Amino acid sequence: MAPISKECDFLVIGIGSGGLAAARRASGQWGAKTIAIESNRLGGTCVNVGCVPKKITWNAAAIAETLHEAKPYGFNIKEVAPFDYKTFKHKRDEYVKKLNDIYARNLAKDKVEYIHGRASLLSKNEVEVRLDDGGKETIRAKKILLATGGHPNIPKIEGAELGITSDGFFDLETMPKRVALVGAGYIAVEMAGMFHHLGSETHLFIRHENFLRPFDPMIQEKIITEYERQGIIIHRNSSQSKVERGDKEGWLKFHYTDKSTPEGAGSVMDIDCLLWAIGRSPEVSDLGLANAGVKQDERGHIIADDYQNTNIDHIYSLGDVCGKIELTPVAIAAGRQLANRLFGGPDYANAKLDYDNIPSVVFAHPEVGSIGLSEPAAIEKYGKENIKTYKTDFTAMYYAMMPAGEKGPTSYKIVCLGQEERVVGLHILGQGSAEMLQGFGVAVKMGARKRDFDACVAIHPTSAEELVTMK
């Protein structure tokens, strides 16, 4: 075994959002000697191939949508050149690189020692780091945090490697002419919307009748109907059998079946981009978990409790590698609370993240927001007789000037429990839902009742006022 080259109080493996938050809090606020190890770019999935570049691209798609919707308001906008995706992409890359640099400076500011390399557990308190120059270091740590995140899955079918994943989406230099996306989660739905509004013929392949299936049925039904109205082609009950290179350079032949395929037959589509969005797996393949005895679940996720403890004393884990709630703000909050508990003294001895009522948003077109239980989940948990829902569908004033066939939907649902009608679920779809949900999320987190919503005077004219005037 190599000699110990460094020792520390807190060793963080994986400097995505959660690892970064934990390392900075432990060192910067509590003075723990902290070493952070990352083998890729600082910031993890969110900053590099997730939330940040995704939202920038969504903004571009939303601008394209607005330009289309401007004519009914009296604007006659002449497009003198097509959308310059290549220039947009490079500016987006520059912004992400700037964030990478900011994170490096923040680590230095908080006196976190940063090592770029690939880490693997040797035991419950020792880690080997394979450095970029081929060298190795062995670090002994009193406490270790595993926050290595995850990676996109690719199916086991012939030619699957010819497609890209959500990571590869951000490497595209041009928008494809015809794209096939496979998946039914929020990544597939978001990217389908972006491709479509930026000019690609967009085909979305899903295994069942609806997508976003963990969300409330209202959300599922409304968003899939709206996507079809906009011109996104949904292939329901689909499966894929093979991908091969096409007759033209850069094109593929995509073999599939869907609801419309005759029994015993198959279909082939020529596409110039295939994107797999079929889920993610934890980044643990060479982490050395067995060397320390760290337990995993059947999908490979590290098992950690609500305090981020693994089954091994002094080894902790959080974020996507645990597979609990795979959202950036969840990892950040969990990381800060863990650092508080480990190094903040008696006042923080029981610090942990409360995993109940965490708001989430899908940046679809239109946006979707959700917090708490869906109506079916609430009924399953509390019984149908104890649940009352309030629901409204309407056309937002933004669409007042538009022809009937071009008006987008707005739908809200409040799920209430018991005689006091405590709000246990809130589900919204429509323009501005992301920003709107953050404020209403505070109310739900505080245990607001329907009558508390009703007692708030409406802001008029807004879509949000419907949430405080619903009957």
Side-chain angles (χ1 to χ4, degrees):
M1 185 179 293
I4 303 298
S5 55
K6 296 179 185 289
E7 296 191 18
C8 63
D9 299 319
F10 193 38
L11 178 63
V12 181
I13 302 175
I15 309 302
S17 301
L20 185 78
R24 291 187 62 196
R25 178 64 57 90
S27 179
Q29 183 162 332
W30 303 120
K33 183 179 180 182
T34 303
I35 296 176
I37 304 170
E38 175 56 56
S39 61
N40 209 316
R41 291 181 288 173
L42 283 174
T45 296
C46 175
V47 170
N48 297 292
V49 289
C51 328
V52 171
K54 179 270 300 287
K55 184 63 184 294
I56 293 172
T57 311
W58 182 88
N59 288 339
I63 291 169
E65 199 174 7
T66 302
L67 290 173
H68 172 74
E69 294 165 341
K71 190 172 182 179
Y73 272 91
F75 294 92
N76 290 292
I77 300 171
K78 184 178 180 181
E79 189 174 43
V80 297
F83 173 57
D84 186 354
Y85 183 81
K86 188 171 185 177
T87 297
F88 164 79
K89 186 261 185 194
H90 286 206
K91 288 184 70 176
R92 186 185 63 198
D93 290 349
E94 290 171 8
Y95 180 73
V96 169
K97 176 62 169 61
K98 183 169 71 173
L99 293 181
N100 297 148
D101 295 340
I102 289 171
Y103 288 166
R105 291 197 296 271
N106 284 341
L107 286 172
K109 182 179 69 175
D110 285 327
K111 298 181 172 56
V112 176
E113 182 179 351
Y114 168 48
I115 299 173
H116 195 272
R118 192 78 175 176
S120 181
L121 293 165
L122 298 175
S123 67
K124 65 180 183 179
N125 64 349
E126 291 182 3
V127 169
E128 179 182 83
V129 184
R130 300 183 297 284
L131 304 173
D132 294 344
D133 63 5
K136 294 181 180 179
E137 285 193 352
T138 302
I139 302 173
R140 178 178 291 151
K142 295 176 183 177
K143 302 180 190 299
I144 297 173
L145 172 60
L146 308 175
T148 50
H151 60 262
N153 295 332
I154 294 178
K156 293 181 171 66
I157 65 168
E158 182 182 343
E161 72 281 357
L162 297 173
I164 62 173
T165 65
S166 55
D167 289 0
F169 172 83
F170 298 106
D171 291 329
L172 292 174
E173 290 286 341
T174 58
M175 275 285 105
K177 291 180 174 62
R178 182 184 296 135
V179 58
L181 301 100
V182 181
Y186 75 92
I187 293 174
V189 171
E190 289 179 337
M191 292 193 167
M194 290 185 284
F195 273 121
H196 172 71
H197 286 289
L198 293 177
S200 299
E201 179 185 315
T202 303
H203 296 256
L204 179 57
F205 292 79
I206 61 178
R207 285 191 300 170
H208 302 282
E209 284 290 321
N210 285 325
F211 49 54
L212 297 179
R213 292 172 68 229
F215 284 77
D216 190 86
M218 178 195 77
I219 299 293
Q220 298 177 43
E221 294 160 9
K222 293 289 182 179
I223 196 71
I224 201 165
T225 300
E226 173 62 7
Y227 265 31
E228 290 183 310
R229 182 194 71 80
Q230 291 176 6
I232 296 172
I233 302 154
I234 310 294
H235 298 261
R236 293 173 170 84
N237 304 123
S238 72
S239 64
Q240 299 76 45
S241 57
K242 184 170 68 171
V243 186
E244 55 188 345
R245 296 193 186 279
D247 300 327
K248 293 188 292 184
E249 178 70 26
W251 284 71
L252 303 171
K253 289 190 177 296
F254 181 57
H255 296 254
Y256 69 94
T257 62
D258 63 14
K259 192 174 182 178
S260 64
T261 306
E263 188 172 350
S267 300
V268 181
M269 180 184 295
D270 291 319
I271 55 175
D272 59 335
C273 182
L274 167 62
L275 191 147
W276 303 111
I278 57 172
R280 296 174 64 84
S281 293
E283 186 69 21
V284 294
S285 60
D286 57 352
L287 193 51
L289 298 177
N291 295 335
V294 176
K295 290 184 178 179
Q296 299 166 261
D297 66 17
E298 65 279 0
R299 295 181 57 200
H301 292 105
I302 296 172
I303 298 172
D305 64 17
D306 284 356
Y307 288 87
Q308 315 309 146
N309 301 310
T310 69
N311 62 301
I312 302 298
D313 288 344
H314 311 304
I315 295 183
Y316 312 90
S317 190
L318 55 80
D320 291 6
V321 75
C322 298
K324 197 165 189 177
I325 299 178
E326 298 183 13
L327 296 170
T328 293
V330 172
I332 292 171
R336 288 172 178 162
Q337 291 288 24
L338 175 64
N340 289 341
R341 181 168 68 85
L342 298 182
F343 303 107
D347 289 347
Y348 294 93
N350 296 310
K352 70 178 183 69
L353 173 63
D354 179 3
Y355 281 91
D356 289 333
N357 286 326
I358 290 175
S360 64
V361 164
V362 181
F363 285 101
H365 295 263
E367 302 162 50
V368 167
S370 181
I371 183 171
L373 300 173
S374 67
E375 183 178 352
I379 289 171
E380 181 180 352
K381 183 172 183 177
Y382 296 112
K384 188 171 184 177
E385 69 280 6
N386 296 311
I387 296 299
K388 183 175 181 180
T389 61
Y390 296 83
K391 184 173 178 290
T392 183
D393 301 296
F394 62 98
T395 301
M397 190 177 288
Y398 175 80
Y399 297 106
M401 308 293 285
M402 298 175 193
E406 296 185 15
K407 297 177 187 286
T410 308
S411 295
Y412 299 155
K413 180 188 284 188
I414 303 174
V415 183
C416 299
L417 171 65
Q419 290 186 339
E420 68 170 3
E421 294 194 333
R422 179 166 60 88
V423 179
V424 295
L426 180 66
H427 311 283
I428 58 178
L429 178 150
Q431 284 192 327
S433 290
E435 300 291 348
M436 195 186 304
L437 184 65
Q438 188 70 80
F440 279 99
V442 174
V444 174
K445 190 75 175 176
M446 294 176 67
R449 300 153 298 180
K450 177 63 168 60
R451 64 176 178 267
D452 297 317
F453 276 48
D454 297 341
C456 182
V457 174
I459 302 170
H460 183 73
T462 65
S463 292
E465 69 180 295
E466 295 289 328
L467 286 170
V468 298
T469 58
M470 211 179 294
K471 301 298 182 186

